[in-house]
Amino acid sequence: MALAVPAESQVRFGLKAGLNLNKLHLSRRLGDDLVNSDNRVGFTGGIIMEVVLPVAGLGIDASALYAHRSDQLSTYSNSEVIKRDYICVPVNLKYKLTLPVIGRVIKPFATTGPEFQFLIKDNFKDIGNIIEGKSMSVSWNVGFGIELLSRVQVHASYGIGLSKALKTVGIGNIDTDKYQNGGKDNYWTVTAAYL
């Protein structure tokens, strides 16, 4: 009985905000990118819920975040900025490593899991009916971070697009059948959370 461990998990809520750097390409089979965006900066923010087993250090980290992303659309005649706004719901498995002596001050952690992205606003109609955003896309996140003083978490993650975020539609003299490669969001997200 002296070795009994608490069966309760620790549930915490908080606020989360940060930046995202996204990379999105929608390219022709033989060259020309219709959408070519590397390291375009956007922002994100929302709420976080963390459930962690007190002894194992294993838990779940789920968030509801607003995310703004921008991309560069290049047609034969001009170049436009695409603006996309999402509600993102990442659900990550989280493992916290408790270090001897400094474990109360700093805890490194690792995360991985799916992220569901719901498109809520875009400016595709303002720049012509060349591409459309998909109403929902999915990515897989892998990340790492540190927790300071059991309250503040700084986290960096990389999202790998599993489904396309964009699709082409036919208009004018642009042969959209040639634009088949890419269309998946890949992005870095760096956030700070207070729990």
Side-chain angles (χ1 to χ4, degrees):
M1 291 185 65
L3 297 175
V5 295
E8 301 155 2
S9 39
Q10 182 181 16
V11 180
R12 301 190 301 167
F13 296 91
L15 298 175
K16 187 176 190 178
L19 298 174
N20 57 56
L21 294 155
N22 70 297
K23 177 179 179 179
L24 179 66
H25 291 270
L26 190 60
S27 60
R28 285 181 184 256
R29 288 187 189 125
L30 301 174
D32 283 348
D33 281 344
L34 179 62
V35 177
N36 186 347
S37 297
D38 286 330
N39 300 326
R40 298 286 298 207
V41 177
F43 57 89
T44 188
I47 57 174
I48 180 175
M49 179 185 76
E50 178 188 80
V51 180
V52 177
L53 297 172
V55 174
L58 195 61
I60 294 176
D61 174 328
S63 302
L65 304 169
Y66 166 83
H68 175 76
R69 296 182 182 148
S70 65
D71 309 292
Q72 194 71 32
L73 170 70
S74 300
T75 63
Y76 296 114
S77 57
N78 63 2
S79 182
E80 301 277 352
V81 175
I82 301 169
K83 297 176 183 174
R84 300 177 291 142
D85 296 329
Y86 288 92
I87 295 296
C88 300
V89 182
V91 180
N92 292 310
L93 185 64
K94 180 183 262 184
Y95 177 70
K96 288 186 183 180
L97 181 63
T98 302
L99 301 171
V101 182
I102 62 168
R104 290 180 179 246
V105 177
I106 186 169
K107 286 182 189 170
F109 62 86
T111 60
T112 188
E115 179 172 315
F116 305 94
Q117 303 158 6
F118 303 94
L119 183 65
I120 56 171
K121 184 181 172 188
D122 62 47
N123 68 334
F124 294 129
K125 298 230 185 294
D126 298 340
I127 58 177
N129 293 318
I130 299 168
I131 58 175
E132 288 180 355
K134 298 267 188 143
S135 59
M136 182 189 164
S137 56
V138 180
S139 61
W140 191 269
N141 293 333
V142 176
F144 61 92
I146 56 169
E147 181 175 281
L148 303 169
L149 302 172
S150 299
R151 292 281 179 218
V152 177
Q153 292 182 357
V154 179
H155 184 229
S157 66
Y158 187 72
I160 302 162
L162 299 178
S163 65
K164 290 189 177 188
L166 301 179
K167 64 181 178 180
T168 58
V169 293
I171 187 170
N173 62 358
I174 296 173
D175 183 0
T176 56
D177 288 339
K178 292 181 180 176
Y179 292 101
Q180 305 249 342
N181 301 328
K184 296 180 180 178
D185 263 323
N186 293 313
Y187 50 89
W188 280 100
T189 304
V190 179
T191 58
Y194 182 79
L195 296 160

